[in-house]
Amino acid sequence: METKSKVTPQLMMAVGTAVIGSFQFGYNTGVINAPQNIIESFYNETWSSRFSEPISRTTLTALWSLSVAIFSVGGMFGSFSVGLFVNRFGRRNSMLMANVLSFIAAAFMGFSKLASSFEMLITGRLIVGLYSGLSTGFVPIYVEEISPTGLRGALGTLHQLGVVIGILVAQIFGIESIMGNASLWPLLLGFTLLPAFLQCVLLPLCPESPRYLFINCNEESKACSILVKLRGTDEVNEDMQEMREESQQMMREKKVTIPELFRSPNYRQPIFVAIMLQLSQQLSGINADQHRWMSYVSTVAIFSFVAFFEIGPGPIPWFIVAELFSQGPRPAAIAVAGFSNWSANFLVGMSFQYVEQLCGPYVFIIFTVLLLGFYVFTYFKVPETKGRTFDEIAAGFCESASQRADKYSAPKEFNTLRGDDPDL
Ligand SMILES: *[C@@H]1O[C@H](CO)[C@@H](O)[C@H](O)[C@H]1NC(C)=O
């Protein structure tokens, strides 16, 4: 069954607008690293003028680590709340609403210097983290739901591309002669307001997800007319049929809770894989690579590493979760995966300063070793999902679960997991 995959202007416009959210996530992930020294001296000055004594090194490191890592605490709460929004307000409107958080956060961070308040900066980081947690949930859902089956993977990686570009732009803007200096850093942090504004202008011109209209709102004809525009053809029966089947499957399959996900042998292995992939993305240092001591040259080197990683294994975690689980366990699995990703993000953010103080630049060796470990894990344990339907992937996991139970069966687990089965 070959689905027609045409990139129409409407589709590009909608995907392009959505990934402005990914850009904001990337930007806010990267923006805090370059101006570290400058913001630290702002903390120092604020502290001295408020308490009439200089800040201790310990307090400063703790405050700084908190400013970096509280972003992930926001992200954790955000990623847990994705489901509340997308099913109630729709995918597009959720993205639109989330930008309110961006505006508030930009104001908090942008005016923190004027108000001599590092609390405001930390609060702003928390709020923009909340935005990012929501956004990293909304964008892949929306992009996946508006894309034709054949283009889902390709367009899905645009989310990750948006993140990388966000990190890159943050690095460039953070250069001292641009905005990474004592007078302009509030603008650097507040800049996220501009993409938020742009997205607010463009989103109303984008369609709501047809899958949401069909499955959540029962608006079959609306879904159909949006599909016609997105696909650029009247022949959308295949898509409609796919959604019809999905909606029936959703009714048949009962919702799986988070504890059940860990208890059932059918889900245990895929959820373990999903968690490991999330951890690997974070702990391999993807969000800590960028650092203050790097010159222009190392910026390029490290960026190439980040880009290479992002184009390679980086994007897998967010999309594979949706592909490893069927309707019933999917929401719980996505929540668990999001939680693991942001927890790892928090740990890296909180501990990076301390580890770096201990090991200096060797900190990258730790991350490289971790990365290699995760590569090996991925190679052996993560199934090939490309070109396979969800049912085939799930069947692979169930089969391997039952094979472990039945020790006399032939050990063909690897074939199944690696996707080398002959009937493909
Ligand atoms: C805080 O600023 C003072 C004065 O500029 C400086 O002497 C001190 O080393 C700074 N403290 C830290 C922990 O950087």
Side-chain angles (χ1 to χ4, degrees):
M1 194 173 71
E2 200 41 55
T3 324
K4 280 170 290 304
S5 321
K6 206 164 80 184
V7 181
T8 59
Q10 284 83 0
L11 181 62
M12 264 343 276
M13 158 85 177
V15 173
T17 302
V19 300
I20 296 177
S22 327
F23 173 88
Q24 287 198 64
F25 163 61
Y27 185 86
N28 286 292
T29 301
V31 76
I32 199 74
N33 297 302
Q36 178 176 356
N37 286 341
I38 295 146
I39 296 179
E40 276 183 345
S41 33
F42 160 68
Y43 283 10
N44 188 354
E45 280 162 33
T46 311
W47 189 278
S48 325
S49 66
R50 210 186 284 177
F51 305 108
S52 324
E53 60 174 25
I55 194 165
S56 71
R57 188 68 239 172
T58 330
T59 315
L60 189 58
T61 304
L63 269 184
W64 174 255
S65 300
L66 183 66
S67 316
V68 174
I70 203 164
F71 177 71
S72 329
V73 176
M76 237 178 263
F77 284 104
S79 69
F80 260 124
S81 325
V82 168
L84 292 179
F85 283 85
V86 287
N87 292 329
R88 192 161 310 165
F89 307 107
R91 280 61 160 147
R92 184 197 61 178
N93 293 344
S94 298
M95 289 193 285
L96 197 56
M97 286 158 65
N99 278 313
V100 172
L101 294 171
S102 248
F103 291 127
I104 298 175
F108 266 100
M109 296 187 291
F111 290 116
S112 58
K113 187 179 175 224
L114 211 64
S116 301
S117 160
F118 47 79
E119 294 89 346
M120 272 175 71
L121 200 156
I122 294 171
T123 310
R125 289 281 298 166
L126 175 69
I127 298 173
V128 86
L130 202 57
Y131 167 83
S132 299
L134 289 169
S135 191
T136 47
F138 297 160
V139 177
I141 293 176
Y142 182 72
V143 170
E144 199 184 344
E145 289 185 359
I146 60 171
S147 306
T149 322
L151 286 175
R152 246 164 232 175
L155 293 177
T157 54
L158 292 183
H159 164 65
Q160 204 61 33
L161 186 67
V163 176
V164 180
I165 294 178
I167 295 176
L168 175 68
V169 169
Q171 294 297 325
I172 295 175
F173 284 4
I175 290 172
E176 199 180 342
S177 55
I178 303 182
M179 287 196 272
N181 52 53
S183 52
L184 290 181
W185 68 260
L187 282 184
L188 180 70
L189 296 190
F191 170 82
T192 195
L193 187 116
L194 286 187
F197 179 75
L198 182 67
Q199 200 185 32
C200 286
V201 172
L202 294 177
L203 269 178
L205 309 173
C206 300
E208 182 49 272
S209 145
R211 189 179 167 279
Y212 166 76
L213 291 173
F214 189 114
I215 297 180
N216 298 67
C217 315
N218 256 321
E219 306 216 41
E220 195 168 332
S221 57
K222 245 191 206 169
C224 187
S225 67
I226 287 179
L227 272 177
V228 167
K229 279 190 206 129
L230 281 173
R231 302 284 179 271
T233 165
D234 285 338
E235 288 158 44
V236 293
N237 280 335
E238 225 170 82
D239 288 82
M240 293 300 283
Q241 188 54 32
E242 190 190 280
M243 290 195 286
R244 212 165 280 131
E245 278 163 18
E246 211 178 333
S247 133
Q248 279 159 4
Q249 198 194 355
M250 264 171 100
M251 275 181 256
R252 268 201 313 271
E253 229 182 301
K254 96 178 180 14
K255 237 179 140 175
V256 173
T257 63
I258 294 177
E260 277 165 1
L261 211 53
F262 289 95
R263 251 183 268 133
S264 156
N266 285 348
Y267 299 136
R268 211 177 288 140
Q269 193 181 351
I271 196 63
F272 179 64
V273 167
I275 292 174
M276 284 302 279
L277 283 172
Q278 299 291 343
L279 296 188
S280 72
Q281 190 194 32
Q282 288 304 326
L283 296 183
S284 52
I286 187 93
N287 293 335
D289 296 1
Q290 324 101 24
H291 211 49
R292 77 190 127 110
W293 42 259
M294 65 194 185
S295 62
Y296 295 79
V297 176
S298 64
T299 306
V300 173
I302 287 167
F303 180 70
S304 323
F305 172 75
V306 171
F308 175 76
F309 180 77
E310 293 280 1
I311 291 163
I316 295 170
W318 292 112
F319 287 91
I320 210 161
V321 182
E323 294 194 14
L324 289 182
F325 295 92
S326 63
Q327 298 292 337
R330 195 179 288 164
I334 289 179
V336 169
F339 182 78
S340 335
N341 189 285
W342 286 104
S343 311
N345 197 323
F346 177 76
L347 285 179
V348 171
M350 226 32 218
S351 60
F352 190 80
Q353 293 299 312
Y354 298 98
V355 178
E356 204 211 6
Q357 275 171 24
L358 279 177
C359 332
Y362 297 110
V363 70
F364 280 104
I365 294 177
I366 299 179
F367 285 124
T368 307
V369 169
L370 279 172
L371 191 61
L372 277 177
F374 287 122
Y375 260 118
V376 171
F377 174 82
T378 306
Y379 185 78
F380 285 111
K381 281 294 177 190
V382 181
E384 176 64 78
T385 61
K386 190 166 191 277
R388 299 173 83 194
T389 67
F390 159 72
D391 285 327
E392 290 164 343
I393 297 166
F397 276 120
C398 292
E399 203 173 306
S400 66
S402 66
Q403 272 169 10
R404 270 194 302 278
D406 172 14
K407 50 178 182 280
Y408 297 109
S409 72
K412 60 172 216 182
E413 177 177 1
F414 276 129
N415 287 340
T416 318
L417 278 175
R418 296 280 317 288
D420 300 329
D421 28 346
D423 38 338
L424 274 179

